[in-house]
């Protein structure tokens, strides 16, 4: 069984970890404050979960979820992630992260910067466009009529297939938007970011089909 490593275990990382454990995966969670601060989460997740340092979580995961504030992307341990599929959940928020001229000028994307840092890894952007409460509540089995979809973007086809399989197992269809350079199409302030699943004051959210998501992605403007 695949092990999922987590570098960052906050709202999105913790929610993905819960979905992964429910789907039968083993998980290794980490954060910047140390494994001792994650004992409550590990106790909630049960015997399939353990806490570790970020480097250990990176080494242990067959797939690794990076879910840290974007400004900390260059602190993600690169060496143990070489050759692995890395799911990037991050968004660039200048008011939180400070300004990055390359992003402000649309010269690159946040996921491309992470990929540049993680030389040898295979970054796939996912989970960044959905409110964490909706992510937890909208997961459905594969044959469910009310299944939702999530967008992904990445440069490595093998890594994308692994992420699509992971999404399917935890309860979501996937819409392949293209390369990491296309990831801007579902970043903040685009139609695919947030609204397809409901408003932030609705803790449950509502279904977003693959067709609805493709329409929203196609409406994105830079």
């Amino acid at each position: 069984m695949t092990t999922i490593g987590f570098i960052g275990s906050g709202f999105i990382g913790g929610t993905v970890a819960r979905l992964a454990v429910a789907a039968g995966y083993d998980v290794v969670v980490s954060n910047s404050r140390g494994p001792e601060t994650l004992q409550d989460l590990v106790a909630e997740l049960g015997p399939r979960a353990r806490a570790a340092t970020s480097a250990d979580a990176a080494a242990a995961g067959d797939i690794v979820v990076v879910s840290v504030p974007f400004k900390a992307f260059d602190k993600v341990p690169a060496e143990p992630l070489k050759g692995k599929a890395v799911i990037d959940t991050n968004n660039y928020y200048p008011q939180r992260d400070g300004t990055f001229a390359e992003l402000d000028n649309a010269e690159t994307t946040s996921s491309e910067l992470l990929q540049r840092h993680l030389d040898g890894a295979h970054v796939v952007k996912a989970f960044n466009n959905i409110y964490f409460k909706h992510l937890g509540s909208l997961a459905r089995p594969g044959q469910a009529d009310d299944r939702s979809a999530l967008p992904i973007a990445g440069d490595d086809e093998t890594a994308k297939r692994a992420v699509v399989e992971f999404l399917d197992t935890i309860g979501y269809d996937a819409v392949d938007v293209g390369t990491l350079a296309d990831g801007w199409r579902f970043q903040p302030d685009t139609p695919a970011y947030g609204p397809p699943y409901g408003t932030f004051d609705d803790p449950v959210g509502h279904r977003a089909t693959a067709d609805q998501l493709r329409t929203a992605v196609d409406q994105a403007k830079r």
Side-chain angles (χ1 to χ4, degrees), residues 138-185:
L138 294 176
R140 298 288 188 274
Q143 302 306 314
D145 292 334
D146 59 343
R147 212 174 201 220
S148 290
L150 294 170
I152 68 166
D155 296 338
D156 185 271
E157 294 299 324
T158 300
K160 285 201 285 188
R161 284 195 295 271
V163 172
V164 168
E165 181 179 346
F166 176 60
L167 291 181
D168 179 55
T169 304
I170 68 172
Y172 285 91
D173 294 333
V175 171
D176 188 344
V177 175
T179 67
L180 289 180
D182 298 310
W184 67 270
R185 292 184 174 277

Side-chain angles (χ1 to χ4, degrees), residues 52-92:
T53 65
S54 294
D56 287 342
D62 299 296
I63 297 173
V64 178
V65 179
V66 173
S67 193
V68 299
F70 171 72
K71 62 184 176 182
F73 79 90
D74 58 353
K75 305 298 190 297
V76 175
E79 187 62 30
L81 293 175
K82 287 186 175 180
K84 297 186 179 185
V86 175
I87 301 177
D88 174 27
T89 80
N90 299 325
N91 288 306
Y92 169 50

